[in-house]
Amino acid sequence: MTVYTTVDSPLGELLLVGEESPSAAGGVALASLSMPEQKGAAVVREGWRRAPDAFAEVTRQLNAYFDGTLTRFTLTCTEQGTDFQRKVWAALEGVPYGTTTSYGELADRAGIARAAVRALGTAIGANPLLLVRPCHRVIGADGSLTGYAAGLERKRQLLAHEGARAVPAGRA
């Protein structure tokens, strides 16, 4: 069964969506974390059950992230996406807190040809787990802030929160 809740954050109200899972903390595997005005954000659907208590661990980790005491999420998440997307998302999870990487560098980390950088960008844009899977850490090769489903201002806020400079690692 799909469950959801909303939590307040410095970025606005976050919508958390999960699937019941007996092996996950709180009994729910996180499927989506959406921000206000996010492109492609999840929306609550008929039949979903509001279950704030099921997201206690997710909420605890989000609060710790925003307090500056958590630099890596350790949450159970649902399996979703194509093989290609999962490969890109796994590479995203390897970008350390407080750093940035370029699309080309992320392609290298994922073992994807740089010629496929547009497809890589599309996979990043389809990431349903903003913050948890840190797509905000991917920037242009020249250090510029590029697309973010929740908007460039939120991307800027997240990078500032993490103390990241808008220069890909290895180019500083």
Side-chain angles (χ1 to χ4, degrees):
M1 167 173 261
T2 302
V3 294
Y4 75 96
T5 195
T6 56
V7 296
D8 290 329
S9 82
L11 302 173
E13 186 177 73
L14 305 177
L15 173 62
L16 308 177
V17 179
E19 295 295 330
E20 290 181 333
S21 168
S23 63
V28 67
L30 189 64
S32 175
L33 186 158
S34 301
M35 296 181 201
E37 302 167 17
Q38 174 186 327
K39 178 181 171 189
V43 294
V44 177
R45 297 188 181 156
E46 187 175 328
W48 288 8
R49 182 174 52 87
R50 187 173 188 85
D53 293 344
F55 293 93
E57 179 60 16
V58 178
T59 301
R60 185 194 69 74
Q61 288 192 36
L62 286 168
N63 288 336
Y65 170 82
F66 287 117
D67 288 345
T69 58
L70 181 88
T71 60
R72 184 173 180 85
F73 292 94
T74 55
L75 297 167
T76 303
C77 300
T78 61
E79 285 290 323
Q80 53 190 316
T82 66
D83 289 342
F84 182 81
Q85 287 171 328
R86 286 193 301 271
K87 190 175 197 179
V88 171
W89 296 343
L92 277 175
E93 291 173 358
V95 180
Y97 179 95
T99 68
T100 57
T101 192
S102 70
Y103 290 88
E105 289 168 343
L106 189 67
D108 292 345
R109 285 180 191 211
I112 296 168
R114 285 191 175 219
V117 77
R118 282 184 185 253
L120 178 127
T122 300
I124 292 169
N127 173 18
L129 297 170
L130 274 66
L131 293 178
V132 173
R133 195 178 285 138
C135 53
H136 61 277
R137 297 179 189 152
V138 182
I139 61 174
D142 63 357
S144 62
L145 294 185
T146 56
Y148 186 58
L152 291 181
E153 183 53 36
R154 285 200 180 94
K155 184 172 191 165
R156 192 174 291 109
Q157 287 176 293
L158 289 167
L159 292 175
H161 168 73
E162 295 183 5
R165 297 181 328 154
V167 175
R171 293 219 164 102

